Amino acid sequence: MLVLLPPSEGKAASGRGAPLKPESLSLPGLAGARAAVLDELVELCLGDEEKAREVLGLSAGLAGEVGKNAELRVAGARPAGEIYTGVLYDALGLASLDAAAKKRAGRSLLVFSGLWGAVRIGDRIPSYRCSMGVKLPGLGALGAYWRPYMADVLPEAAGDGLVLDLRSAAYAAAWKPKGELASRTATVRVLHSRMVDGVEKRSVVSHFNKATKGRLVRELLLAGAAPAGPAELVEALRDLGYVVETEAPVKAGKPWQLDVVVTEIH
């Protein structure tokens, strides 16, 4: 099972570890593309701060993020699973997984990134600020920039098993599984169900969508679940107590969409 995750906007501090070693990152087929984005981002942030903030979509209060990016080559690096924070990662709770679940997480979790393309949670990276929606002056929109590189590398990473795609739209734009691989892919939407005047109302949640996805992945890892495809994933989630609704795609080569229905949001 390969689980595709979005990164977090906010990130933990880099710390005092050894600096980034680009050659040590997973998915070495992305090395050249990563180097180009890193060069462009560092050059941008070493120049005019106001321009850099504008390109990166940062407010004046986040000006410190520009300086952080300028120091990416010399900043300390930590495992990506420690760098990424926020609602989804808080719910996932990587640090508190047991040893077996941590090994599964290292093998199966892949975090998409505007700067790195995608990294595994054990890859050591510095803290940075560069979303997939950024348009770098020399490379253009990063979602489009990464697309051909991901198309070359990700099918091999996915292997012949399930792909559980939990990315947000901006990061999903960087790679869309196709053909037979798409038929082994499942996306998840979280719906909040509540009764209003005796009638069930459902709504898509945002903050709690992230938390539910984090908990869902955590429970799959702890359970040692290894669903071979979307249909088996549905059964695994139901065994864990989730209410899941889905239909197989009408057309071949299309991903499955799973609706996880919750009555409490937290």
Side-chain angles (χ1 to χ4, degrees), residues 74-216:
V74 297
R78 297 168 60 185
E82 297 177 12
I83 290 290
Y84 295 117
T85 59
V87 176
L88 188 153
Y89 291 91
D90 286 347
L92 176 54
L94 289 168
S96 62
L97 292 174
D98 61 44
K102 284 181 179 178
K103 287 184 179 179
R104 296 183 196 107
R107 293 193 302 265
S108 62
L109 304 187
L110 197 64
V111 184
F112 272 58
S113 162
L115 174 53
W116 313 115
V119 293
R120 296 195 183 276
I121 59 169
D123 288 339
R124 297 181 65 84
I125 59 173
S127 186
Y128 67 96
R129 191 68 172 241
C130 184
S131 72
M132 193 66 82
V134 163
K135 294 182 180 180
L136 290 176
L139 299 178
L142 289 176
Y145 169 81
W146 281 111
R147 209 168 292 146
Y149 302 104
M150 295 295 193
D152 285 342
V153 171
L154 265 295
E156 181 178 355
D160 58 3
L162 167 73
V163 176
L164 175 54
D165 189 351
L166 302 179
R167 297 171 296 165
S168 55
Y171 291 89
W175 181 60
K176 296 183 185 298
K178 295 182 179 180
E180 186 272 337
L181 180 54
S183 69
R184 291 188 274 115
T185 298
T187 63
V188 172
R189 180 174 64 169
V190 180
L191 299 177
H192 179 214
S193 172
R194 64 193 190 284
M195 299 302 293
V196 179
D197 297 329
V199 178
E200 184 192 28
K201 301 289 185 180
R202 290 185 176 183
S203 58
V204 178
V205 295
S206 54
H207 175 93
F208 302 103
N209 165 64
K210 296 177 183 178
T212 300
K213 288 178 177 178
R215 286 193 293 271
L216 179 153

